[in-house]
Amino acid sequence: MEAERALWADADERAAAYIASVGRRPAFPPREAVAALDALGGPLPDGPADPAATLDLLDDIGSRATVTSNGPNYFGFVVGALLPIAGAAERLALAWNQCASSAVNSPVMDAVERTAAGWLLEVLDLPREAGVGFGTSATACGLACLAAAQTCLLEKAGWDLQRKGLRAAPQVRIVVPDTVHVTVKKAIRLLGFGTDDIVVVPTDAYGRLDPALLPALDEMTILCLQAGEVNTGEFDRFAEIVPRAKAAGAWVHVDGAFGLWVRASRDLAQLAQGVELADSWTTDGHKTLNTPYDGAVAICRRADVLARTMNAEAVYAPSEPDAQKNLTLEFSRRARGLGFWAVLRTLGRSGVADLVDGYHRRAVAISDGCRPLGVEVLNRVVFNQVLCRLESPAATRALTEAVQSDGEVWFGQTVWRGEPAFRLSVSSWRTDDASVARVLAAIGRARSA
Ligand SMILES: *Cc1c(COP(=O)(O)O)cnc(C)c1O
């Protein structure tokens, strides 16, 4: 008992020290720290060791080799930091170690996730009757939504997918923008679709699906749209497209991994106007909302269809039809809704709006600061992404590599319309005006070098 208490206390102290250091740490670990990771390997131990020594090794070798995405100076991918309350709630829940399959397994997590589901629908202003499954990622939750879409369309066509399977089923067609996220394509693949079943629609200069090029839709079509394109941060024109798709009988799914959260903002909500008319939505907690990795959500207007599609009832584990194990891929699971609950409970409506607006304000400041440095900003910065390039592909690549190898700040390379570019994403609550100045200084230094 004493040893266990001491071990947890030791971990807490180390965690607190790490958190206190994130502002000073390089955004990407130095080469020596990465090389030292070999010390975590070696032969499989023959027998037990002192747990305190294992923790010490992990902290000593591991902490130095972390990517400081939980700090203010990391602008890579769309990796969110961790809000203190979300981390603290998770820390307590780790001691509980609940298997949050259903109310039978964990009354407390069932209550937490039911509340989180209701608050989420309110803050995102989505249909209050929708089903909400908290899963590991937008990938997994997107898969759940698209599986529900497939079930529903086939059912309407008189095909019981559960019983008769996919092999001889009527053909369902999927329409996606050419900027569709790779994980949506992965989900589509896993559902048994081939590239022949996918219709790719060209996008406009901003990366949004071009409504003029949308093919005829029907009741056997799933249309995938985006709230937040990974390079430009742009939003498809939902108000124009979704009613058309719905009138044709299609199912509309929205990948809103990081962008759906503009719905919480007064000023930015109009970017996603009309998104509420869709049939299903996915968004992450671990990006914009800064909940712990890994946590995301599948939201489905037809709660009953999601629950039937993802059902995992077992004779030894009877539960409510809308228990979380019946809405997500996982059966045994951590309560991924906890982070959502903790953040929404603590920040409230206006706090989430401030978080989202803060990302946007700083992304605009980065964009404004890039231009005088001779950096071309390729997008409109409608939300939190800044897409840039220099006068030549070689110069663009060289700058990205120079900033990355310095490591004080970090952002990633990408490809936009076939040309190398680099991309900064503001997704950390810790990113402040000083971090904006720091990243601009790093770009300036690399530019003049
Ligand atoms: C990150 C991202 C995904 C995938 O989300 P995961 O949680 O990493 O699975 C999907 N779509 C977009 C637009 C993303 O940014």
Side-chain angles (χ1 to χ4, degrees):
M1 197 63 227
E2 258 326 295
E4 185 175 2
R5 199 186 173 97
L7 187 66
W8 282 90
D10 189 10
D12 283 347
E13 208 164 294
R14 291 171 189 271
Y18 180 85
I19 295 281
S21 76
V22 294
R24 298 189 304 272
R25 284 180 180 276
F28 197 87
R31 213 182 296 273
E32 317 80 74
V34 175
L37 289 170
D38 285 348
L40 299 179
L44 173 67
D46 282 332
D50 179 4
T54 301
L55 186 67
D56 184 60
L57 174 72
L58 183 65
D59 185 26
D60 185 34
I61 299 295
S63 289
R64 277 185 292 148
T66 52
V67 167
T68 316
S69 50
N70 193 17
N73 304 317
Y74 187 80
F75 300 87
F77 310 97
V78 195
V79 175
L82 179 62
L83 279 162
I85 184 56
E90 192 72 30
R91 168 65 185 77
L92 176 59
L94 201 53
W96 296 351
N97 197 31
Q98 302 289 282
C99 175
S101 303
S102 71
V104 179
N105 302 77
S106 177
V108 57
M109 288 312 195
D110 184 67
V112 161
E113 292 192 299
R114 280 179 193 280
T115 300
W119 287 349
L120 194 58
L121 295 177
E122 261 190 71
V123 78
L124 298 177
D125 194 15
L126 295 177
R128 306 299 192 267
E129 74 276 15
V132 177
F134 294 103
T136 51
S137 61
T139 308
C141 291
L143 181 64
C145 287
L146 291 171
Q150 179 174 247
T151 301
C152 188
L153 294 187
L154 285 172
E155 233 167 49
K156 282 190 194 153
W159 187 268
D160 182 347
L161 182 62
Q162 311 264 320
R163 197 162 56 81
K164 295 163 93 168
L166 200 57
R167 259 170 258 278
Q171 196 187 9
V172 173
R173 192 176 54 140
I174 304 205
V175 177
V176 301
D178 65 15
T179 48
V180 67
H181 197 267
V182 60
T183 58
V184 174
K185 287 197 262 186
K186 177 173 171 174
I188 291 171
R189 230 168 44 228
L190 290 176
L191 285 170
F193 293 93
T195 43
D196 288 353
D197 306 307
I198 303 175
V199 180
V200 179
V201 185
T203 49
D204 64 15
Y206 303 115
R208 305 175 303 176
L209 187 144
D210 188 343
L213 302 178
L214 199 60
L217 305 171
D218 57 30
E219 55 289 322
M220 292 303 281
T221 305
I222 300 171
L223 172 63
C224 295
L225 298 175
Q226 300 192 91
E229 196 276 329
V230 277
N231 279 310
T232 61
E234 289 271 353
F235 295 73
D236 280 324
R237 290 148 71 177
F238 305 111
E240 195 179 334
I241 300 172
V242 183
R244 256 172 79 186
K246 299 288 296 185
W251 178 293
V252 181
H253 172 69
V254 178
D255 171 16
F258 66 92
L260 201 56
W261 290 95
V262 298
R263 302 275 293 174
S265 154
R266 276 169 304 273
D267 298 337
L268 303 177
Q270 96 286 346
L271 289 167
Q273 201 189 342
V275 80
E276 71 281 0
L277 304 171
D279 296 290
S280 58
W281 306 262
T282 53
T283 192
D284 279 319
H286 53 223
K287 290 178 179 170
T288 308
L289 199 62
N290 282 203
T291 63
Y293 275 88
D294 40 15
V297 64
I299 306 173
C300 193
R301 179 185 295 277
R302 288 282 305 273
D304 61 318
V305 177
L306 181 65
R308 262 187 290 124
T309 305
M310 302 307 288
N311 182 274
E313 280 304 293
V315 284
Y316 67 90
S319 60
E320 299 290 311
D322 63 348
Q324 282 292 318
K325 70 167 183 189
N326 293 330
L327 302 175
T328 57
L329 288 181
E330 293 79 18
F331 184 71
S332 306
R333 59 186 288 281
R334 241 161 12 92
R336 256 105 190 174
L338 175 66
F340 291 86
W341 178 86
V343 169
L344 295 176
R345 167 76 176 70
T346 309
L347 298 189
R349 250 181 226 286
S350 70
V352 178
D354 291 346
L355 183 69
V356 168
D357 291 340
Y359 295 154
H360 179 236
R361 202 170 57 248
R362 271 149 197 146
V364 169
I366 290 172
S367 166
D368 290 346
C370 272
R371 292 197 174 91
L373 300 172
V375 174
E376 184 188 358
V377 177
L378 295 164
N379 67 333
R380 300 192 291 184
V381 194
V382 291
F383 181 30
N384 64 337
Q385 307 291 101
V386 188
L387 183 66
C388 305
R389 74 175 172 202
L390 299 186
E391 56 283 352
S392 71
T396 300
R397 256 186 245 113
L399 182 134
T400 316
E401 280 160 21
V403 169
Q404 288 184 351
S405 67
D406 176 72
E408 186 196 15
V409 302
W410 203 94
F411 51 78
Q413 57 180 347
T414 185
V415 173
W416 179 245
R417 302 302 191 211
E419 297 264 326
F422 60 87
R423 179 182 66 148
L424 292 92
S425 174
V426 183
S427 322
S428 165
W429 70 275
R430 295 184 205 270
T431 294
D432 55 12
D433 296 342
S435 347
V436 170
R438 204 169 291 119
V439 75
L440 288 171
I443 292 172
R445 277 200 307 278
R447 194 86 179 103
S448 49

